[in-house]
Amino acid sequence: MPRDKRLPLTEAVARYVRDGQTVTLEGFGHLVPTAAAHEIIRQCITGLTLVRMGGDPLVDQLLAAGCVTKLVSAFVGNSSAGSLHELRRRIEHRDPEPVEFEEYSIGGMVARYTAGAAGLPFAPIRSCTGSDLIAHNPMIRSVTDPYGGGEIHVVPALNPDVSIIHAQRADHAGNIQAWGMLGVQQEAAFAGGSVIVTVEEIVADDVVRSDPNRTIVPSHVVDAVVVCPRGAHPAPVQGYYDRDDRFQRAWSELARDPAVLREWIDRHILGTTDHEGFLAGLGPEYWDRLEIDEQLSVPVNYGRPR
């Protein structure tokens, strides 16, 4: 009988996330583990190195809450909605204190996760050629191609202490299924020392077995699976709810004022006991505009021996 890996979010974060760790919260515009980031804030975990391939409001929130001292990332903006003003204050003006920023290209971040997942020390890339990244990031180095191709840049493997991702569903043992834009969810999980996965729902084992190709992370990689409906908001979850563009645009204005930003964190995160409390604070009608229509995929015949 597979071990039941279901945990409440508060317990999963308390058990696996510690001050001073390197923590990946991954999801590239989709399946973002926002609720897990909020729980890190509630538990006042500090000194973190935050790793995200792309930026979004949770970067601002973790910085403003005092959880993060270093950011490792590639794209640092609020998607199509504007800037991350708390991050800009830290980098451009060291206000209220600086944050260390280790920057890569998106291709470089993918290569780092892939190397970490494969147990390799580094990975070759071409996406930095001709850019200023090489001058600004001493971790991007060059080696001689042993097959005669000349010099090529390499980036170090990424193996976070904890990797946290979000997905659509899992079984009780932690076999994780996802679809839509996956980003580096799978690579981040395989690269992590401990792995927490928040999901929209837990389903029966038979559901997972009926569609095995949707399993992106097998249970033996996962330490804790957390039932967390709407846990990616304001990011979308394919098949469950849409992207909250209104929130994203509002964030770009709200975060301009550091006092207003901290008031938002005090009210919506620190002022709530858990993710359910955060959702309740938004109100039941909030989700009406994020509802989506059904669009089913066609059945697939996997076949079975007679």
Side-chain angles (χ1 to χ4, degrees), residues 199-261:
V199 294
E200 293 294 318
E201 61 177 329
I202 296 290
V203 296
D205 296 355
D206 289 347
V207 174
V208 171
R209 293 194 185 102
S210 72
D211 198 2
N213 279 24
R214 295 203 197 279
T215 302
I216 64 166
V217 183
S219 62
H220 70 269
V221 175
V222 176
D223 293 283
V225 59
V226 178
V227 182
C228 196
R230 296 170 175 164
H233 175 267
V237 172
Q238 190 85 40
Y240 289 77
Y241 46 88
D242 205 354
R243 181 178 187 267
D244 192 347
D245 291 307
R246 186 183 302 176
F247 179 95
Q248 301 277 39
R249 290 192 295 270
W251 186 263
S252 290
E253 294 304 315
L254 179 155
R256 287 181 185 275
D257 186 330
V260 174
L261 169 53

CSV table of all heavy atoms in Angstrom, one decimal, residues 199-261:
chain,number,residue,atom,x,y,z
A,199,VAL,N,-1.9,21.0,-4.9
A,199,VAL,CA,-2.7,20.6,-6.0
A,199,VAL,C,-4.1,21.1,-5.8
A,199,VAL,O,-4.6,21.4,-4.7
A,199,VAL,CB,-2.7,19.1,-6.2
A,199,VAL,CG1,-1.4,18.6,-6.6
A,199,VAL,CG2,-3.2,18.4,-4.9
A,200,GLU,N,-4.9,21.2,-7.0
A,200,GLU,CA,-6.2,21.7,-6.9
A,200,GLU,C,-7.1,20.6,-6.3
A,200,GLU,O,-8.1,20.9,-5.6
A,200,GLU,CB,-6.8,22.0,-8.3
A,200,GLU,CG,-6.1,23.2,-8.9
A,200,GLU,CD,-6.4,24.5,-8.2
A,200,GLU,OE1,-7.6,24.7,-7.8
A,200,GLU,OE2,-5.5,25.3,-8.0
A,201,GLU,N,-6.8,19.3,-6.5
A,201,GLU,CA,-7.6,18.3,-5.9
A,201,GLU,C,-6.8,17.0,-5.8
A,201,GLU,O,-5.9,16.7,-6.5
A,201,GLU,CB,-8.9,18.1,-6.7
A,201,GLU,CG,-8.6,17.6,-8.2
A,201,GLU,CD,-9.9,17.4,-8.9
A,201,GLU,OE1,-10.9,16.9,-8.3
A,201,GLU,OE2,-10.0,17.6,-10.2
A,202,ILE,N,-7.3,16.1,-4.9
A,202,ILE,CA,-6.8,14.7,-4.8
A,202,ILE,C,-7.8,13.8,-5.5
A,202,ILE,O,-9.0,14.0,-5.2
A,202,ILE,CB,-6.6,14.3,-3.3
A,202,ILE,CG1,-5.5,15.1,-2.7
A,202,ILE,CG2,-6.3,12.8,-3.2
A,202,ILE,CD1,-4.1,14.9,-3.1
A,203,VAL,N,-7.4,13.0,-6.3
A,203,VAL,CA,-8.2,12.0,-7.0
A,203,VAL,C,-7.9,10.6,-6.7
A,203,VAL,O,-6.8,10.3,-6.1
A,203,VAL,CB,-8.2,12.3,-8.6
A,203,VAL,CG1,-8.6,13.7,-8.9
A,203,VAL,CG2,-6.7,12.0,-9.1
A,204,ALA,N,-8.8,9.7,-7.1
A,204,ALA,CA,-8.6,8.3,-6.8
A,204,ALA,C,-7.4,7.8,-7.6
A,204,ALA,O,-7.1,8.3,-8.7
A,204,ALA,CB,-9.9,7.5,-7.1
A,205,ASP,N,-6.8,6.7,-7.1
A,205,ASP,CA,-5.7,6.1,-7.8
A,205,ASP,C,-6.0,5.7,-9.2
A,205,ASP,O,-5.2,5.8,-10.1
A,205,ASP,CB,-5.2,4.8,-7.0
A,205,ASP,CG,-4.7,5.1,-5.6
A,205,ASP,OD1,-4.6,6.3,-5.3
A,205,ASP,OD2,-4.3,4.2,-4.9
A,206,ASP,N,-7.3,5.2,-9.4
A,206,ASP,CA,-7.7,4.8,-10.7
A,206,ASP,C,-7.7,5.9,-11.7
A,206,ASP,O,-7.5,5.6,-12.9
A,206,ASP,CB,-9.1,4.1,-10.6
A,206,ASP,CG,-9.1,2.8,-9.9
A,206,ASP,OD1,-8.0,2.2,-9.7
A,206,ASP,OD2,-10.2,2.3,-9.6
A,207,VAL,N,-8.0,7.1,-11.3
A,207,VAL,CA,-8.0,8.3,-12.2
A,207,VAL,C,-6.6,8.5,-12.7
A,207,VAL,O,-6.3,8.7,-13.9
A,207,VAL,CB,-8.5,9.5,-11.5
A,207,VAL,CG1,-8.4,10.7,-12.4
A,207,VAL,CG2,-10.0,9.3,-11.1
A,208,VAL,N,-5.6,8.4,-11.8
A,208,VAL,CA,-4.2,8.6,-12.2
A,208,VAL,C,-3.7,7.5,-13.2
A,208,VAL,O,-3.1,7.7,-14.2
A,208,VAL,CB,-3.3,8.7,-11.0
A,208,VAL,CG1,-1.8,8.7,-11.4
A,208,VAL,CG2,-3.6,10.0,-10.2
A,209,ARG,N,-4.1,6.3,-12.8
A,209,ARG,CA,-3.7,5.1,-13.6
A,209,ARG,C,-4.3,5.1,-15.0
A,209,ARG,O,-3.8,4.6,-16.0
A,209,ARG,CB,-4.0,3.8,-12.9
A,209,ARG,CG,-3.2,3.6,-11.6
A,209,ARG,CD,-3.3,2.1,-11.2
A,209,ARG,NE,-2.7,1.9,-9.9
A,209,ARG,CZ,-3.3,1.9,-8.7
A,209,ARG,NH1,-4.6,2.0,-8.7
A,209,ARG,NH2,-2.6,1.7,-7.6
A,210,SER,N,-5.5,5.8,-15.1
A,210,SER,CA,-6.2,5.8,-16.4
A,210,SER,C,-5.6,6.7,-17.4
A,210,SER,O,-5.8,6.6,-18.6
A,210,SER,CB,-7.7,6.2,-16.2
A,210,SER,OG,-7.7,7.6,-15.9
A,211,ASP,N,-4.7,7.6,-16.9
A,211,ASP,CA,-4.1,8.6,-17.9
A,211,ASP,C,-2.6,8.8,-17.4
A,211,ASP,O,-2.2,9.9,-17.0
A,211,ASP,CB,-4.8,9.9,-17.8
A,211,ASP,CG,-4.5,10.8,-19.0
A,211,ASP,OD1,-3.7,10.3,-19.9
A,211,ASP,OD2,-5.1,11.9,-19.1
A,212,PRO,N,-1.8,7.8,-17.5
A,212,PRO,CA,-0.4,7.8,-16.9
A,212,PRO,C,0.5,8.9,-17.5
A,212,PRO,O,1.4,9.3,-16.8
A,212,PRO,CB,0.1,6.4,-17.1
A,212,PRO,CG,-0.7,5.8,-18.2
A,212,PRO,CD,-2.0,6.4,-18.1
A,213,ASN,N,0.3,9.2,-18.8
A,213,ASN,CA,1.2,10.2,-19.4
A,213,ASN,C,1.0,11.6,-18.8
A,213,ASN,O,1.9,12.4,-19.1
A,213,ASN,CB,0.9,10.2,-20.9
A,213,ASN,CG,1.6,9.1,-21.6
A,213,ASN,OD1,1.9,8.1,-21.0
A,213,ASN,ND2,1.9,9.2,-22.9
A,214,ARG,N,0.0,11.8,-18.1
A,214,ARG,CA,-0.2,13.2,-17.4
A,214,ARG,C,0.6,13.2,-16.1
A,214,ARG,O,0.7,14.3,-15.5
A,214,ARG,CB,-1.6,13.5,-17.2
A,214,ARG,CG,-2.4,13.7,-18.4
A,214,ARG,CD,-3.7,14.5,-18.2
A,214,ARG,NE,-4.6,14.3,-19.3
A,214,ARG,CZ,-4.5,14.9,-20.5
A,214,ARG,NH1,-3.5,15.8,-20.7
A,214,ARG,NH2,-5.3,14.7,-21.5
A,215,THR,N,1.2,12.1,-15.6
A,215,THR,CA,2.0,12.1,-14.4
A,215,THR,C,3.4,12.7,-14.7
A,215,THR,O,4.2,12.1,-15.4
A,215,THR,CB,2.1,10.7,-13.8
A,215,THR,OG1,0.8,10.2,-13.6
A,215,THR,CG2,2.9,10.7,-12.5
A,216,ILE,N,3.6,14.0,-14.2
A,216,ILE,CA,4.9,14.6,-14.5
A,216,ILE,C,5.9,14.4,-13.4
A,216,ILE,O,7.1,14.5,-13.6
A,216,ILE,CB,4.7,16.2,-14.7
A,216,ILE,CG1,4.1,16.8,-13.4
A,216,ILE,CG2,3.8,16.4,-15.9
A,216,ILE,CD1,4.2,18.3,-13.4
A,217,VAL,N,5.4,14.1,-12.2
A,217,VAL,CA,6.3,13.8,-11.1
A,217,VAL,C,5.8,12.5,-10.3
A,217,VAL,O,4.6,12.6,-9.8
A,217,VAL,CB,6.4,15.0,-10.1
A,217,VAL,CG1,7.4,14.6,-9.0
A,217,VAL,CG2,6.8,16.2,-10.8
A,218,PRO,N,6.5,11.5,-10.3
A,218,PRO,CA,6.1,10.3,-9.6
A,218,PRO,C,6.2,10.4,-8.0
A,218,PRO,O,6.9,11.3,-7.5
A,218,PRO,CB,7.0,9.2,-10.1
A,218,PRO,CG,8.3,9.9,-10.4
A,218,PRO,CD,7.9,11.3,-10.9
A,219,SER,N,5.5,9.6,-7.3
A,219,SER,CA,5.3,9.7,-5.9
A,219,SER,C,6.7,9.6,-5.1
A,219,SER,O,6.9,10.3,-4.1
A,219,SER,CB,4.4,8.7,-5.3
A,219,SER,OG,4.8,7.4,-5.6
A,220,HIS,N,7.6,8.8,-5.7
A,220,HIS,CA,8.8,8.6,-4.9
A,220,HIS,C,9.7,9.9,-4.8
A,220,HIS,O,10.6,10.0,-4.0
A,220,HIS,CB,9.7,7.5,-5.5
A,220,HIS,CG,10.3,7.8,-6.8
A,220,HIS,ND1,9.6,7.5,-8.0
A,220,HIS,CD2,11.5,8.3,-7.2
A,220,HIS,CE1,10.4,7.8,-9.0
A,220,HIS,NE2,11.5,8.3,-8.5
A,221,VAL,N,9.4,10.9,-5.7
A,221,VAL,CA,10.1,12.2,-5.7
A,221,VAL,C,9.5,13.1,-4.7
A,221,VAL,O,10.2,14.1,-4.2
A,221,VAL,CB,10.1,12.8,-7.1
A,221,VAL,CG1,10.8,14.2,-7.1
A,221,VAL,CG2,10.9,11.8,-8.1
A,222,VAL,N,8.2,12.9,-4.3
A,222,VAL,CA,7.4,13.9,-3.6
A,222,VAL,C,7.5,13.6,-2.1
A,222,VAL,O,7.3,12.5,-1.7
A,222,VAL,CB,6.0,13.9,-4.1
A,222,VAL,CG1,5.1,14.8,-3.3
A,222,VAL,CG2,5.9,14.3,-5.6
A,223,ASP,N,7.7,14.6,-1.3
A,223,ASP,CA,7.7,14.5,0.2
A,223,ASP,C,6.3,14.8,0.8
A,223,ASP,O,5.9,14.2,1.8
A,223,ASP,CB,8.7,15.4,0.8
A,223,ASP,CG,10.2,14.9,0.5
A,223,ASP,OD1,10.6,14.0,1.1
A,223,ASP,OD2,10.8,15.6,-0.4
A,224,ALA,N,5.6,15.8,0.2
A,224,ALA,CA,4.3,16.2,0.7
A,224,ALA,C,3.4,16.7,-0.4
A,224,ALA,O,3.9,17.4,-1.3
A,224,ALA,CB,4.5,17.3,1.8
A,225,VAL,N,2.2,16.2,-0.4
A,225,VAL,CA,1.2,16.7,-1.4
A,225,VAL,C,0.1,17.4,-0.6
A,225,VAL,O,-0.4,16.8,0.4
A,225,VAL,CB,0.7,15.6,-2.3
A,225,VAL,CG1,0.0,14.5,-1.5
A,225,VAL,CG2,-0.3,16.2,-3.3
A,226,VAL,N,-0.3,18.6,-1.0
A,226,VAL,CA,-1.2,19.4,-0.3
A,226,VAL,C,-2.4,19.8,-1.1
A,226,VAL,O,-2.3,20.3,-2.2
A,226,VAL,CB,-0.5,20.7,0.1
A,226,VAL,CG1,-1.5,21.7,0.9
A,226,VAL,CG2,0.7,20.5,1.0
A,227,VAL,N,-3.6,19.5,-0.6
A,227,VAL,CA,-4.8,19.9,-1.3
A,227,VAL,C,-5.0,21.4,-1.1
A,227,VAL,O,-5.2,21.8,0.0
A,227,VAL,CB,-6.1,19.1,-0.8
A,227,VAL,CG1,-7.3,19.5,-1.6
A,227,VAL,CG2,-5.8,17.6,-0.9
A,228,CYS,N,-5.0,22.1,-2.2
A,228,CYS,CA,-5.0,23.6,-2.1
A,228,CYS,C,-5.7,24.2,-3.3
A,228,CYS,O,-5.2,24.7,-4.2
A,228,CYS,CB,-3.5,24.1,-2.1
A,228,CYS,SG,-3.3,25.8,-1.5
A,229,PRO,N,-7.1,24.1,-3.2
A,229,PRO,CA,-7.9,24.7,-4.3
A,229,PRO,C,-7.6,26.2,-4.5
A,229,PRO,O,-7.4,26.9,-3.5
A,229,PRO,CB,-9.3,24.5,-3.9
A,229,PRO,CG,-9.2,23.4,-2.9
A,229,PRO,CD,-7.9,23.5,-2.2
A,230,ARG,N,-7.5,26.6,-5.7
A,230,ARG,CA,-7.2,28.0,-6.1
A,230,ARG,C,-5.8,28.5,-5.5
A,230,ARG,O,-5.6,29.7,-5.2
A,230,ARG,CB,-8.3,28.9,-5.6
A,230,ARG,CG,-9.6,28.6,-6.4
A,230,ARG,CD,-10.8,29.4,-5.8
A,230,ARG,NE,-12.0,29.1,-6.6
A,230,ARG,CZ,-13.3,29.4,-6.1
A,230,ARG,NH1,-13.4,29.9,-4.9
A,230,ARG,NH2,-14.3,29.2,-6.9
A,231,GLY,N,-4.9,27.5,-5.4
A,231,GLY,CA,-3.6,27.8,-4.8
A,231,GLY,C,-2.7,28.5,-5.7
A,231,GLY,O,-1.6,28.9,-5.2
A,232,ALA,N,-3.0,28.7,-7.0
A,232,ALA,CA,-2.1,29.4,-7.9
A,232,ALA,C,-2.5,30.9,-8.1
A,232,ALA,O,-1.7,31.6,-8.7
A,232,ALA,CB,-2.0,28.7,-9.2
A,233,HIS,N,-3.7,31.3,-7.7
A,233,HIS,CA,-4.2,32.6,-8.0
A,233,HIS,C,-3.1,33.7,-7.5
A,233,HIS,O,-2.5,33.6,-6.5
A,233,HIS,CB,-5.5,32.9,-7.2
A,233,HIS,CG,-6.0,34.3,-7.3
A,233,HIS,ND1,-5.7,35.2,-6.3
A,233,HIS,CD2,-6.7,34.9,-8.2
A,233,HIS,CE1,-6.2,36.4,-6.7
A,233,HIS,NE2,-6.9,36.2,-7.8
A,234,PRO,N,-2.9,34.7,-8.4
A,234,PRO,CA,-3.6,35.1,-9.6
A,234,PRO,C,-3.2,34.4,-10.9
A,234,PRO,O,-3.7,34.8,-11.9
A,234,PRO,CB,-3.3,36.6,-9.6
A,234,PRO,CG,-1.9,36.7,-9.1
A,234,PRO,CD,-1.8,35.7,-8.0
A,235,ALA,N,-2.3,33.5,-10.8
A,235,ALA,CA,-2.0,32.7,-12.0
A,235,ALA,C,-3.1,31.8,-12.3
A,235,ALA,O,-3.9,31.4,-11.5
A,235,ALA,CB,-0.6,32.0,-11.8
A,236,PRO,N,-3.2,31.4,-13.6
A,236,PRO,CA,-4.3,30.4,-14.0
A,236,PRO,C,-3.9,29.0,-13.7
A,236,PRO,O,-2.7,28.6,-13.5
A,236,PRO,CB,-4.4,30.7,-15.5
A,236,PRO,CG,-3.0,31.0,-15.9
A,236,PRO,CD,-2.4,31.8,-14.8
A,237,VAL,N,-4.9,28.1,-13.7
A,237,VAL,CA,-4.7,26.7,-13.7
A,237,VAL,C,-5.6,26.1,-14.8
A,237,VAL,O,-6.8,26.2,-14.7
A,237,VAL,CB,-5.0,26.1,-12.3
A,237,VAL,CG1,-5.0,24.5,-12.4
A,237,VAL,CG2,-4.1,26.5,-11.3
A,238,GLN,N,-4.9,25.6,-15.8
A,238,GLN,CA,-5.6,25.0,-17.0
A,238,GLN,C,-6.7,24.1,-16.5
A,238,GLN,O,-6.5,23.1,-15.8
A,238,GLN,CB,-4.7,24.3,-17.9
A,238,GLN,CG,-5.2,23.9,-19.3
A,238,GLN,CD,-5.1,25.1,-20.3
A,238,GLN,OE1,-4.1,25.8,-20.3
A,238,GLN,NE2,-6.2,25.2,-21.0
A,239,GLY,N,-8.0,24.3,-17.0
A,239,GLY,CA,-9.1,23.5,-16.7
A,239,GLY,C,-9.8,23.8,-15.3
A,239,GLY,O,-10.8,23.2,-15.0
A,240,TYR,N,-9.3,24.8,-14.6
A,240,TYR,CA,-9.9,25.1,-13.3
A,240,TYR,C,-10.3,26.6,-13.2
A,240,TYR,O,-11.4,26.9,-12.7
A,240,TYR,CB,-8.9,24.7,-12.2
A,240,TYR,CG,-8.7,23.2,-12.0
A,240,TYR,CD1,-8.0,22.5,-12.9
A,240,TYR,CD2,-9.4,22.5,-11.0
A,240,TYR,CE1,-7.8,21.1,-12.8
A,240,TYR,CE2,-9.3,21.2,-10.8
A,240,TYR,CZ,-8.5,20.5,-11.8
A,240,TYR,OH,-8.4,19.1,-11.6
A,241,TYR,N,-9.4,27.5,-13.5
A,241,TYR,CA,-9.7,28.9,-13.4
A,241,TYR,C,-8.8,29.7,-14.3
A,241,TYR,O,-7.7,29.3,-14.6
A,241,TYR,CB,-9.8,29.5,-12.0
A,241,TYR,CG,-8.6,29.1,-11.1
A,241,TYR,CD1,-7.4,29.8,-11.1
A,241,TYR,CD2,-8.7,27.9,-10.3
A,241,TYR,CE1,-6.4,29.4,-10.3
A,241,TYR,CE2,-7.6,27.5,-9.5
A,241,TYR,CZ,-6.5,28.3,-9.5
A,241,TYR,OH,-5.4,27.9,-8.7
A,242,ASP,N,-9.2,30.9,-14.6
A,242,ASP,CA,-8.5,31.8,-15.6
A,242,ASP,C,-7.5,32.7,-14.8
A,242,ASP,O,-7.5,32.8,-13.6
A,242,ASP,CB,-9.4,32.7,-16.4
A,242,ASP,CG,-8.9,33.1,-17.7
A,242,ASP,OD1,-7.7,32.8,-18.0
A,242,ASP,OD2,-9.7,33.7,-18.5
A,243,ARG,N,-6.6,33.3,-15.6
A,243,ARG,CA,-5.6,34.2,-15.0
A,243,ARG,C,-6.4,35.5,-14.6
A,243,ARG,O,-7.2,36.0,-15.3
A,243,ARG,CB,-4.6,34.6,-16.1
A,243,ARG,CG,-3.5,35.6,-15.6
A,243,ARG,CD,-2.6,35.8,-16.8
A,243,ARG,NE,-1.4,36.6,-16.4
A,243,ARG,CZ,-1.3,37.9,-16.6
A,243,ARG,NH1,-2.4,38.6,-17.1
A,243,ARG,NH2,-0.2,38.6,-16.2
A,244,ASP,N,-6.0,36.0,-13.4
A,244,ASP,CA,-6.7,37.2,-12.9
A,244,ASP,C,-5.9,38.4,-13.3
A,244,ASP,O,-5.1,39.0,-12.6
A,244,ASP,CB,-6.7,37.1,-11.3
A,244,ASP,CG,-7.6,38.1,-10.7
A,244,ASP,OD1,-8.1,39.1,-11.4
A,244,ASP,OD2,-7.9,38.0,-9.5
A,245,ASP,N,-6.2,38.9,-14.5
A,245,ASP,CA,-5.5,40.0,-15.1
A,245,ASP,C,-5.8,41.3,-14.3
A,245,ASP,O,-5.0,42.2,-14.2
A,245,ASP,CB,-6.0,40.2,-16.6
A,245,ASP,CG,-5.4,39.2,-17.5
A,245,ASP,OD1,-4.2,38.9,-17.5
A,245,ASP,OD2,-6.3,38.6,-18.2
A,246,ARG,N,-7.0,41.4,-13.8
A,246,ARG,CA,-7.4,42.6,-13.0
A,246,ARG,C,-6.5,42.7,-11.7
A,246,ARG,O,-6.0,43.8,-11.4
A,246,ARG,CB,-8.8,42.5,-12.5
A,246,ARG,CG,-9.3,43.8,-11.8
A,246,ARG,CD,-10.7,43.7,-11.4
A,246,ARG,NE,-11.6,43.4,-12.5
A,246,ARG,CZ,-13.0,43.1,-12.4
A,246,ARG,NH1,-13.5,43.1,-11.1
A,246,ARG,NH2,-13.7,42.9,-13.4
A,247,PHE,N,-6.2,41.6,-11.1
A,247,PHE,CA,-5.3,41.6,-9.9
A,247,PHE,C,-3.9,41.9,-10.3
A,247,PHE,O,-3.3,42.7,-9.6
A,247,PHE,CB,-5.3,40.2,-9.2
A,247,PHE,CG,-4.4,40.1,-8.0
A,247,PHE,CD1,-4.9,40.3,-6.8
A,247,PHE,CD2,-3.1,39.8,-8.2
A,247,PHE,CE1,-4.1,40.2,-5.6
A,247,PHE,CE2,-2.2,39.8,-7.1
A,247,PHE,CZ,-2.7,39.9,-5.8
A,248,GLN,N,-3.4,41.4,-11.4
A,248,GLN,CA,-2.1,41.7,-11.9
A,248,GLN,C,-1.9,43.1,-12.2
A,248,GLN,O,-0.9,43.7,-11.8
A,248,GLN,CB,-1.8,40.8,-13.1
A,248,GLN,CG,-1.9,39.3,-13.0
A,248,GLN,CD,-0.6,38.7,-12.4
A,248,GLN,OE1,0.0,39.2,-11.5
A,248,GLN,NE2,-0.2,37.5,-12.9
A,249,ARG,N,-2.9,43.7,-12.8
A,249,ARG,CA,-2.7,45.2,-13.1
A,249,ARG,C,-2.8,46.0,-11.9
A,249,ARG,O,-2.1,47.0,-11.7
A,249,ARG,CB,-3.8,45.6,-14.1
A,249,ARG,CG,-3.7,45.0,-15.5
A,249,ARG,CD,-4.6,45.7,-16.5
A,249,ARG,NE,-6.0,45.4,-16.2
A,249,ARG,CZ,-6.7,44.4,-16.7
A,249,ARG,NH1,-6.0,43.6,-17.5
A,249,ARG,NH2,-7.9,44.2,-16.4
A,250,ALA,N,-3.7,45.6,-11.0
A,250,ALA,CA,-3.8,46.4,-9.7
A,250,ALA,C,-2.6,46.3,-8.9
A,250,ALA,O,-2.2,47.2,-8.2
A,250,ALA,CB,-5.0,45.8,-8.9
A,251,TRP,N,-1.9,45.1,-9.0
A,251,TRP,CA,-0.7,44.9,-8.2
A,251,TRP,C,0.4,45.9,-8.6
A,251,TRP,O,1.1,46.5,-7.8
A,251,TRP,CB,-0.1,43.5,-8.3
A,251,TRP,CG,1.0,43.3,-7.4
A,251,TRP,CD1,2.3,43.4,-7.7
A,251,TRP,CD2,0.9,43.1,-6.0
A,251,TRP,NE1,3.1,43.2,-6.5
A,251,TRP,CE2,2.3,43.0,-5.5
A,251,TRP,CE3,-0.1,42.9,-5.1
A,251,TRP,CZ2,2.6,42.8,-4.1
A,251,TRP,CZ3,0.2,42.7,-3.7
A,251,TRP,CH2,1.5,42.6,-3.3
A,252,SER,N,0.5,46.2,-9.9
A,252,SER,CA,1.5,47.1,-10.4
A,252,SER,C,1.3,48.5,-9.8
A,252,SER,O,2.3,49.3,-9.7
A,252,SER,CB,1.5,47.1,-11.9
A,252,SER,OG,2.0,45.9,-12.4
A,253,GLU,N,0.1,48.9,-9.5
A,253,GLU,CA,-0.2,50.2,-8.9
A,253,GLU,C,0.0,50.1,-7.4
A,253,GLU,O,0.6,50.9,-6.7
A,253,GLU,CB,-1.6,50.7,-9.3
A,253,GLU,CG,-1.7,51.0,-10.8
A,253,GLU,CD,-0.6,52.0,-11.2
A,253,GLU,OE1,-0.4,53.0,-10.5
A,253,GLU,OE2,0.0,51.7,-12.3
A,254,LEU,N,-0.6,49.0,-6.8
A,254,LEU,CA,-0.6,48.9,-5.3
A,254,LEU,C,0.9,48.9,-4.8
A,254,LEU,O,1.2,49.5,-3.8
A,254,LEU,CB,-1.3,47.6,-5.0
A,254,LEU,CG,-1.4,47.1,-3.5
A,254,LEU,CD1,-2.6,46.2,-3.4
A,254,LEU,CD2,-0.2,46.4,-3.0
A,255,ALA,N,1.7,48.1,-5.5
A,255,ALA,CA,3.1,47.9,-4.9
A,255,ALA,C,4.0,49.2,-5.1
A,255,ALA,O,5.1,49.2,-4.6
A,255,ALA,CB,3.7,46.7,-5.6
A,256,ARG,N,3.5,50.2,-5.8
A,256,ARG,CA,4.3,51.4,-5.9
A,256,ARG,C,4.5,52.1,-4.6
A,256,ARG,O,5.6,52.7,-4.3
A,256,ARG,CB,3.6,52.4,-6.8
A,256,ARG,CG,3.6,52.1,-8.3
A,256,ARG,CD,2.9,53.2,-9.1
A,256,ARG,NE,2.8,52.8,-10.5
A,256,ARG,CZ,3.8,53.0,-11.4
A,256,ARG,NH1,4.9,53.6,-11.1
A,256,ARG,NH2,3.6,52.7,-12.7
A,257,ASP,N,3.6,51.9,-3.7
A,257,ASP,CA,3.7,52.5,-2.3
A,257,ASP,C,4.0,51.4,-1.4
A,257,ASP,O,3.2,50.5,-1.1
A,257,ASP,CB,2.3,53.2,-2.0
A,257,ASP,CG,2.4,53.9,-0.7
A,257,ASP,OD1,3.2,53.6,0.2
A,257,ASP,OD2,1.6,54.9,-0.5
A,258,PRO,N,5.2,51.5,-0.8
A,258,PRO,CA,5.6,50.4,0.2
A,258,PRO,C,4.7,50.2,1.4
A,258,PRO,O,4.5,49.1,1.9
A,258,PRO,CB,7.0,50.8,0.6
A,258,PRO,CG,7.2,52.2,0.2
A,258,PRO,CD,6.3,52.5,-0.9
A,259,ALA,N,4.1,51.4,1.8
A,259,ALA,CA,3.2,51.3,3.0
A,259,ALA,C,1.9,50.6,2.6
A,259,ALA,O,1.4,49.7,3.4
A,259,ALA,CB,2.9,52.7,3.5
A,260,VAL,N,1.4,50.9,1.4
A,260,VAL,CA,0.2,50.2,1.0
A,260,VAL,C,0.5,48.7,0.7
A,260,VAL,O,-0.4,47.8,1.1
A,260,VAL,CB,-0.3,50.8,-0.3
A,260,VAL,CG1,-1.5,50.0,-0.9
A,260,VAL,CG2,-0.8,52.3,-0.1
A,261,LEU,N,1.6,48.4,0.2
A,261,LEU,CA,2.0,47.0,0.0
A,261,LEU,C,2.0,46.2,1.3
A,261,LEU,O,1.5,45.1,1.4
A,261,LEU,CB,3.4,46.9,-0.7
A,261,LEU,CG,4.1,45.6,-0.8
A,261,LEU,CD1,3.2,44.5,-1.4
A,261,LEU,CD2,5.4,45.7,-1.6
